[in-house]
Amino acid sequence: MPVLSRRRFGLLALSASLWPWATAQASPALMNDLLAQATSPRYPDELWVLVDDREASLSLYRGEARLEHYAPISLGRGGAKPQRVRGDRATPLGEFRVNRFNRHSKFHIFVGLDYPTPTHARLALASGLYSQQDYDDYFSYYRRHGSPPQDTVLGGYIGIHGVGVGDPEIHRRFHWTDGCVAVTDGQVERLSSIIDIGTRVVIR
């Protein structure tokens, strides 16, 4: 798979597949429709990740074939929601792309996701969480920086990471993150050695 820089990925995301979701008419069914389409590979040998809130699991696929399966995993203490708000410690549902790696994180390795996506911005506008100015500012920032803003009412800094400085026993028993997806340190090492910038991640 060709390696994309973070900025090039962000610009491609806005100009291609994510842009129609941003401009589409928002409705309560928008996220359900997106997830129904997202949980199938885009092409036969696509490498992609599925995080399942109900099963507390993470699976890595090559097309329809499952390569890795991690369970139990931990999600946000606030549950998993289509409309996350900063500070609620919820994991956002949706379709994302990997846009950065931090191999010096306090959580061992941090695999960043492009949250909030244009879909989340559109839902925020429809629900009143975003004003029209907030919505316009979101896309202006995305165009300038090649990644979404992280300090709006929707929050940010969402990704997949290890336990790191956390407690492995708590990880085995509870959802403990502030909205991220946590796996063991060994699992995030394995995952980050296979995926790359642009890998699609579905959280449902």
Side-chain angles (χ1 to χ4, degrees):
M1 184 178 88
V3 176
L4 295 175
S5 70
R6 285 174 56 188
R7 178 160 181 79
R8 178 166 171 74
F9 164 71
L11 293 174
L12 286 172
L14 279 179
S15 64
S17 60
L18 293 181
W19 186 253
W21 286 109
T23 56
Q25 180 65 38
S27 73
L30 177 60
M31 184 60 72
N32 289 337
D33 291 346
L34 183 151
L35 290 175
Q37 297 177 36
T39 50
S40 296
R42 291 285 184 261
Y43 47 90
D45 62 345
E46 181 194 16
L47 189 70
W48 62 289
V49 175
L50 175 63
V51 175
D52 193 303
D53 171 45
R54 184 176 300 176
E55 296 182 358
S57 67
L58 182 152
S59 298
L60 175 66
Y61 287 87
R62 174 74 72 180
E64 298 281 359
R66 191 166 72 182
L67 306 180
E68 304 275 335
H69 181 70
Y70 309 143
I73 64 169
S74 294
L75 282 79
R77 281 173 277 185
K81 303 175 182 178
Q83 186 72 84
R84 181 183 192 271
V85 178
R86 182 174 54 201
D88 69 2
R89 297 178 171 178
T91 298
L93 302 177
E95 182 178 29
F96 308 92
R97 298 280 178 164
V98 172
N99 68 356
R100 63 197 185 279
F101 290 86
N102 176 4
R103 299 185 185 277
H104 303 285
S105 168
K106 67 179 181 179
F107 297 116
H108 193 52
I109 297 173
F110 183 89
V111 180
L113 302 179
D114 63 337
Y115 171 85
T117 69
T119 298
H120 295 100
R122 182 60 184 170
L123 289 172
L125 178 65
S127 69
L129 280 172
Y130 267 6
S131 66
Q132 185 64 51
Q133 186 62 58
D134 293 331
Y135 183 72
D136 294 343
D137 289 347
Y138 168 92
F139 284 101
S140 177
Y141 183 100
Y142 213 145
R143 292 188 195 98
R144 291 197 313 272
H145 298 279
S147 60
Q150 301 294 286
D151 58 355
T152 75
V153 68
L154 300 182
Y157 306 102
I158 297 298
I160 303 169
H161 60 68
V163 175
V165 299
D167 186 327
E169 182 59 28
I170 289 176
H171 175 74
R172 283 189 289 269
R173 299 176 59 194
F174 304 106
H175 289 311
W176 59 272
T177 78
D178 286 338
C180 292
V181 176
V183 296
T184 69
D185 291 353
Q187 289 165 348
V188 77
E189 287 176 7
R190 172 67 176 162
L191 183 67
S192 64
S193 74
I194 301 172
I195 64 175
D196 208 336
I197 300 293
T199 298
R200 196 166 59 93
V201 176
V202 179
I203 304 178
R204 68 173 183 189

CSV table of all heavy atoms in Angstrom, one decimal, residues 2-3 19 25 37 44 46 69 87 90 95 101 116 131 136 143 145 151 154 156-157 170 178 192 196:
chain,number,residue,atom,x,y,z
A,2,PRO,N,0.6,2.2,-0.9
A,2,PRO,CA,1.4,3.4,-0.9
A,2,PRO,C,1.3,4.2,0.4
A,2,PRO,O,0.2,4.2,1.0
A,2,PRO,CB,0.8,4.2,-2.1
A,2,PRO,CG,0.1,3.3,-2.9
A,2,PRO,CD,-0.4,2.2,-2.0
A,3,VAL,N,2.4,4.7,0.9
A,3,VAL,CA,2.4,5.5,2.1
A,3,VAL,C,2.0,6.9,1.9
A,3,VAL,O,2.5,7.6,1.0
A,3,VAL,CB,3.8,5.5,2.8
A,3,VAL,CG1,3.8,6.3,4.0
A,3,VAL,CG2,4.2,4.0,3.1
A,19,TRP,N,-16.2,13.7,1.7
A,19,TRP,CA,-16.9,15.0,1.4
A,19,TRP,C,-18.4,14.8,1.2
A,19,TRP,O,-19.2,15.5,1.7
A,19,TRP,CB,-16.3,15.7,0.2
A,19,TRP,CG,-16.8,17.0,0.0
A,19,TRP,CD1,-17.7,17.4,-1.0
A,19,TRP,CD2,-16.7,18.2,0.8
A,19,TRP,NE1,-18.0,18.7,-0.9
A,19,TRP,CE2,-17.4,19.2,0.2
A,19,TRP,CE3,-15.9,18.5,2.0
A,19,TRP,CZ2,-17.4,20.5,0.7
A,19,TRP,CZ3,-16.0,19.7,2.5
A,19,TRP,CH2,-16.7,20.7,1.9
A,25,GLN,N,-27.7,15.4,3.5
A,25,GLN,CA,-28.7,15.7,4.5
A,25,GLN,C,-28.6,14.8,5.7
A,25,GLN,O,-28.6,13.6,5.6
A,25,GLN,CB,-30.1,15.6,3.9
A,25,GLN,CG,-31.2,16.0,4.9
A,25,GLN,CD,-31.2,17.4,5.2
A,25,GLN,OE1,-30.9,18.3,4.4
A,25,GLN,NE2,-31.5,17.7,6.5
A,37,GLN,N,-22.8,0.2,5.6
A,37,GLN,CA,-22.0,0.1,4.4
A,37,GLN,C,-20.5,-0.1,4.7
A,37,GLN,O,-19.8,-0.7,3.9
A,37,GLN,CB,-22.1,1.4,3.6
A,37,GLN,CG,-23.5,1.7,3.0
A,37,GLN,CD,-23.6,3.0,2.3
A,37,GLN,OE1,-22.7,3.4,1.6
A,37,GLN,NE2,-24.7,3.7,2.4
A,44,PRO,N,-11.5,-6.5,-2.6
A,44,PRO,CA,-11.2,-7.9,-2.1
A,44,PRO,C,-10.1,-8.0,-1.1
A,44,PRO,O,-10.2,-8.8,-0.2
A,44,PRO,CB,-11.0,-8.7,-3.4
A,44,PRO,CG,-11.8,-8.0,-4.4
A,44,PRO,CD,-11.6,-6.5,-4.1
A,46,GLU,N,-8.6,-5.5,0.7
A,46,GLU,CA,-8.4,-4.4,1.6
A,46,GLU,C,-8.0,-4.8,3.0
A,46,GLU,O,-8.6,-5.7,3.6
A,46,GLU,CB,-9.7,-3.5,1.7
A,46,GLU,CG,-9.6,-2.3,2.6
A,46,GLU,CD,-10.9,-1.6,3.0
A,46,GLU,OE1,-11.9,-2.3,2.8
A,46,GLU,OE2,-10.8,-0.5,3.5
A,69,HIS,N,-7.6,-11.2,16.0
A,69,HIS,CA,-8.8,-10.9,16.8
A,69,HIS,C,-8.4,-10.7,18.2
A,69,HIS,O,-7.8,-11.6,18.8
A,69,HIS,CB,-9.8,-12.1,16.6
A,69,HIS,CG,-11.1,-11.9,17.4
A,69,HIS,ND1,-12.0,-11.0,17.0
A,69,HIS,CD2,-11.5,-12.5,18.5
A,69,HIS,CE1,-13.0,-11.0,17.9
A,69,HIS,NE2,-12.8,-11.9,18.8
A,87,GLY,N,-15.4,15.5,26.8
A,87,GLY,CA,-15.5,15.3,28.2
A,87,GLY,C,-16.4,14.2,28.6
A,87,GLY,O,-16.5,13.9,29.8
A,90,ALA,N,-16.8,9.1,26.0
A,90,ALA,CA,-17.5,8.1,25.1
A,90,ALA,C,-16.6,7.9,23.9
A,90,ALA,O,-15.8,8.8,23.4
A,90,ALA,CB,-18.8,8.6,24.7
A,95,GLU,N,-16.8,5.6,10.9
A,95,GLU,CA,-15.8,5.1,9.9
A,95,GLU,C,-14.6,6.1,9.9
A,95,GLU,O,-14.9,7.3,9.7
A,95,GLU,CB,-16.4,4.9,8.5
A,95,GLU,CG,-15.4,4.3,7.5
A,95,GLU,CD,-16.0,4.1,6.2
A,95,GLU,OE1,-17.0,4.9,5.8
A,95,GLU,OE2,-15.5,3.3,5.4
A,101,PHE,N,0.8,8.0,14.0
A,101,PHE,CA,1.3,7.0,15.0
A,101,PHE,C,2.2,7.8,16.0
A,101,PHE,O,3.1,8.6,15.6
A,101,PHE,CB,2.2,6.0,14.3
A,101,PHE,CG,1.4,5.0,13.4
A,101,PHE,CD1,1.2,5.3,12.1
A,101,PHE,CD2,1.0,3.8,13.9
A,101,PHE,CE1,0.5,4.4,11.3
A,101,PHE,CE2,0.3,2.9,13.1
A,101,PHE,CZ,0.0,3.2,11.8
A,116,PRO,N,-12.8,14.3,14.8
A,116,PRO,CA,-14.1,14.0,14.3
A,116,PRO,C,-14.1,14.1,12.7
A,116,PRO,O,-13.5,15.0,12.1
A,116,PRO,CB,-15.0,15.2,14.9
A,116,PRO,CG,-14.0,16.3,15.1
A,116,PRO,CD,-12.7,15.6,15.5
A,131,SER,N,-22.7,25.3,15.6
A,131,SER,CA,-23.4,26.4,14.9
A,131,SER,C,-22.9,26.3,13.4
A,131,SER,O,-22.0,25.6,13.1
A,131,SER,CB,-23.0,27.8,15.5
A,131,SER,OG,-21.6,28.0,15.3
A,136,ASP,N,-18.5,25.6,9.5
A,136,ASP,CA,-17.6,26.2,8.5
A,136,ASP,C,-16.2,26.2,8.9
A,136,ASP,O,-15.2,26.0,8.2
A,136,ASP,CB,-18.1,27.6,8.1
A,136,ASP,CG,-19.4,27.7,7.5
A,136,ASP,OD1,-19.9,26.6,6.9
A,136,ASP,OD2,-20.1,28.8,7.4
A,143,ARG,N,-9.1,21.8,5.7
A,143,ARG,CA,-8.5,22.2,4.4
A,143,ARG,C,-7.0,22.7,4.7
A,143,ARG,O,-6.1,22.4,3.9
A,143,ARG,CB,-9.3,23.2,3.7
A,143,ARG,CG,-10.6,22.7,3.1
A,143,ARG,CD,-11.3,23.7,2.2
A,143,ARG,NE,-12.6,23.4,2.0
A,143,ARG,CZ,-13.7,23.9,2.6
A,143,ARG,NH1,-13.4,24.8,3.6
A,143,ARG,NH2,-14.9,23.5,2.3
A,145,HIS,N,-5.0,22.2,7.4
A,145,HIS,CA,-4.1,21.4,8.1
A,145,HIS,C,-4.1,19.9,7.7
A,145,HIS,O,-3.2,19.2,8.1
A,145,HIS,CB,-4.4,21.4,9.6
A,145,HIS,CG,-4.3,22.8,10.2
A,145,HIS,ND1,-3.1,23.3,10.6
A,145,HIS,CD2,-5.2,23.7,10.5
A,145,HIS,CE1,-3.3,24.5,11.1
A,145,HIS,NE2,-4.6,24.8,11.0
A,151,ASP,N,-10.1,20.5,19.1
A,151,ASP,CA,-10.5,21.2,20.3
A,151,ASP,C,-11.9,21.9,20.2
A,151,ASP,O,-12.2,22.9,20.8
A,151,ASP,CB,-9.5,22.3,20.6
A,151,ASP,CG,-9.3,23.3,19.4
A,151,ASP,OD1,-9.9,23.0,18.3
A,151,ASP,OD2,-8.5,24.2,19.6
A,154,LEU,N,-16.8,18.6,20.1
A,154,LEU,CA,-16.8,17.2,19.8
A,154,LEU,C,-15.6,16.5,20.4
A,154,LEU,O,-15.5,15.3,20.4
A,154,LEU,CB,-16.9,16.9,18.3
A,154,LEU,CG,-18.1,17.5,17.6
A,154,LEU,CD1,-18.1,17.1,16.1
A,154,LEU,CD2,-19.4,17.0,18.2
A,156,GLY,N,-11.5,15.3,20.7
A,156,GLY,CA,-10.6,14.8,19.7
A,156,GLY,C,-9.6,13.9,20.4
A,156,GLY,O,-9.8,13.3,21.5
A,157,TYR,N,-8.4,13.7,19.7
A,157,TYR,CA,-7.4,12.8,20.2
A,157,TYR,C,-7.9,11.4,20.5
A,157,TYR,O,-7.6,10.8,21.5
A,157,TYR,CB,-6.8,13.4,21.5
A,157,TYR,CG,-6.3,14.8,21.3
A,157,TYR,CD1,-7.0,15.9,21.8
A,157,TYR,CD2,-5.1,15.1,20.6
A,157,TYR,CE1,-6.6,17.2,21.6
A,157,TYR,CE2,-4.7,16.4,20.4
A,157,TYR,CZ,-5.5,17.4,20.9
A,157,TYR,OH,-5.1,18.7,20.7
A,170,ILE,N,-7.4,-3.8,35.4
A,170,ILE,CA,-8.6,-3.0,35.1
A,170,ILE,C,-8.9,-3.2,33.6
A,170,ILE,O,-10.1,-3.2,33.2
A,170,ILE,CB,-8.3,-1.5,35.4
A,170,ILE,CG1,-8.3,-1.4,36.9
A,170,ILE,CG2,-9.3,-0.6,34.8
A,170,ILE,CD1,-7.9,0.0,37.4
A,178,ASP,N,-10.7,7.3,28.0
A,178,ASP,CA,-11.5,8.5,27.9
A,178,ASP,C,-12.2,8.7,26.6
A,178,ASP,O,-12.6,9.8,26.2
A,178,ASP,CB,-10.5,9.7,28.1
A,178,ASP,CG,-10.1,9.9,29.6
A,178,ASP,OD1,-10.9,9.4,30.5
A,178,ASP,OD2,-9.1,10.5,29.9
A,192,SER,N,0.1,-2.2,15.0
A,192,SER,CA,0.8,-1.1,14.3
A,192,SER,C,1.9,-1.5,13.4
A,192,SER,O,2.3,-0.7,12.6
A,192,SER,CB,1.3,-0.1,15.4
A,192,SER,OG,2.3,-0.8,16.2
A,196,ASP,N,-1.2,1.0,8.4
A,196,ASP,CA,-0.5,2.2,8.0
A,196,ASP,C,-1.4,3.4,8.0
A,196,ASP,O,-2.6,3.3,8.1
A,196,ASP,CB,0.2,1.9,6.6
A,196,ASP,CG,1.5,2.7,6.4
A,196,ASP,OD1,1.6,3.7,7.1
A,196,ASP,OD2,2.3,2.3,5.6
